[in-house]
Amino acid sequence: MRSWRVTCFSLVLLVFFLSSVLELTGGAELNVAVEQGTTILINTSSSTSTQCKVCMRVRNQPLCQAYVVLRSDTLLDFSCSQPEKVFIVQIIRDTGTMNIEPKDHSAFIKFNRTFTWNLKPLVSKSLQLNFSSTGLRQIEPEDSCPDNHRYILAVENISIGTFCQNGVIRQIDVRNAGKLSAEVTGGQSLSMKVIAVSVGRLMNSLVNIHAVLPEKSSIQDFITPNTTPENAEIMWFFSMPNAYYADVRILKYTLPTCLSSESIPTMKYTWQGRDALVKRMNENQPSVEPGNFNISIKNCKMSTVSSLNRLMVHFQISAIKRRKGQCEGDLPDKQVLKIQVMKKDPKSVCVLKLDSVIMDTVTIASGNHFILNTFDCNKDELELTVIQTEECKEWRNCTSTLFPLHFNYEQQCIPGVLKMITWYIQGPVNSAVELQSPTDGLRYCLPEDNCNSILLLNVSQVMNPGTTVGQFCPKGSVQKIQIRESKIAVTASVTSFSDRSVAAKPILSYSFTQGISGKCFQCSLLTLF
């Protein structure tokens, strides 16, 4: 009987041992070395439903479960032959303020794995992460990267953004504690260079992102954190190459409901030597701006009722190399002059900017200092329309005086070709205006006549706009025209841009004569000589 009892007990032990062996049979075995200061978490993917377990020996007994936490060298067994399809690996290192030195784990090369570096200065200061060796490019949180490496940066347990390698972001400053993670797809070796970490001064913003735009036309995306805390500020610093100009475009945004309407988040722009520019999200953002600049977005104190509404701004920075022209000056005060510069084609890449404001039509008037900038504009792409007022109020200054009508625009740096010039001529009360051709005379033309000239003259009344007194072409028998009005308008339309000096020489001359009494109702308004 005793012999039977021993045999039975041995059988029980044998069954238990065989059960443990069967659980590991057909599985994979890994010998994992864990460095000091490193923690490795192995867990099943939340989207995976499986019976596969990871097992390790505890007091010479197999302990099998859905996850393990490793802090020392361990021999692991998996109850399935392809555990990399079931488990994900997270490798966590506390680096403090030391440089981030990437080290892969050959044992987990087949697994999807996340490398996480915990960063924290000894005192409350900022940490500067230098990505100059690789550069980062910001993406949407759900997007992937071509090289199967995704970076996620968190500050004070707040996700700042998701990034790929090979981008324009060269440095990121975080306030106090930070955490950088690199997600690597299974089967892909960790391909990551050393990231220098240094301690900076304490800063008010949650994070500062420094970007250096390349010397080629480019478009870069930037996104605010998904959960920007109340009153937190995010700042971007952009370095622009010479002769390149930045355009800012907001692709999409959401705004929280703020306790104060005055604190609704805005885009705040700062250039060196210029006043800050503040733009609401629904406004056109700055365009064709030279030089380095900063963008600041600060969240508000949010209403608890609107907890679902979060601050989110996705914007683009376009950098384009442009050919710039500049004209700065003042139109003569002695002349009442107004010049309009207009793009012939609104869809042209040509950009007009008057005093830092982009316009398709720019108006410059006498008495105002102006700064006109053009970008990628050919002269033939711009049309000039000129309005000039010629006035003589006192007879003693007008009698027997012949005044020339011309516009010497070639002496101005204002770009473009002349399309139309209008002179408003005003004489003393009860005077008449006489026009003379200084060269080959004029020919009276009916509206349906073909002028066959690059120049067409139209004489009209000022008091009745749109009322044409007469239309004339160059070269004809008419030497003098008398209009029994003290205020008239003479418009010269240039029908061809081949001759840019068409208005540089006097087109007409004018003088004033005694008018005819207002009681004369049968008098002709227009007399030709």
Side-chain angles (χ1 to χ4, degrees), residues 228-243:
T228 304
E230 291 183 328
N231 297 323
E233 182 182 27
I234 314 297
M235 292 196 68
W236 290 265
F237 296 79
F238 297 100
S239 295
M240 296 288 296
N242 291 333

Side-chain angles (χ1 to χ4, degrees), residues 2-141:
R2 173 182 291 181
S3 176
W4 181 86
R5 290 193 186 101
V6 172
T7 303
C8 184
F9 178 74
S10 301
L11 182 62
V12 171
L13 288 176
L14 179 61
V15 171
F16 177 80
F17 176 77
L18 288 176
S19 175
S20 301
V21 171
L22 288 173
E23 187 177 26
L24 300 178
T25 299
E29 183 179 89
L30 292 179
N31 194 355
V32 181
V34 182
E35 292 184 352
Q36 186 176 2
T38 299
T39 302
I40 299 177
L41 278 66
I42 304 174
N43 200 354
T44 56
S45 172
S46 58
S47 61
T48 303
S49 177
T50 180
Q51 297 299 318
C52 187
K53 304 292 184 182
V54 55
C55 306
M56 58 182 181
R57 298 281 176 176
V58 178
R59 299 185 183 90
N60 294 323
Q61 298 296 326
L63 176 63
C64 299
Q65 52 193 16
Y67 72 95
V68 294
V69 179
L70 307 180
R71 293 186 175 86
S72 60
D73 297 353
T74 307
L75 179 64
L76 296 178
D77 288 297
F78 294 90
S79 62
C80 55
S81 59
Q82 293 181 311
E84 66 272 9
K85 294 185 177 180
V86 179
F87 293 90
I88 57 176
V89 177
Q90 186 175 5
I91 302 166
I92 303 170
R93 296 186 176 109
D94 294 322
T95 63
T97 59
M98 295 186 296
N99 292 345
I100 295 174
E101 297 184 0
K103 292 182 181 180
D104 209 343
H105 263 269
S106 58
F108 299 116
I109 195 69
K110 293 182 179 181
F111 291 79
N112 291 336
R113 54 209 188 279
T114 300
F115 299 85
T116 299
W117 295 271
N118 292 322
L119 307 160
K120 188 173 183 179
L122 297 177
V123 293
S124 295
K125 289 190 175 183
S126 65
L127 286 175
Q128 299 173 347
L129 281 66
N130 191 317
F131 298 96
S132 297
S133 58
T134 58
L136 294 182
R137 172 175 60 89
Q138 192 168 11
I139 60 172
E140 296 274 16

Side-chain angles (χ1 to χ4, degrees), residues 204-249:
N204 294 324
S205 54
L206 183 66
V207 61
N208 295 342
I209 300 174
H210 301 260
V212 179
L213 301 183
E215 291 192 12
K216 63 179 181 179
S217 295
S218 64
I219 299 177
Q220 312 294 336
D221 285 54
F222 301 92
I223 311 167
T224 57
N226 287 335
T227 54
T228 304
E230 291 183 328
N231 297 323
E233 182 182 27
I234 314 297
M235 292 196 68
W236 290 265
F237 296 79
F238 297 100
S239 295
M240 296 288 296
N242 291 333
Y244 281 75
Y245 295 81
D247 297 339
V248 182
R249 179 188 175 199

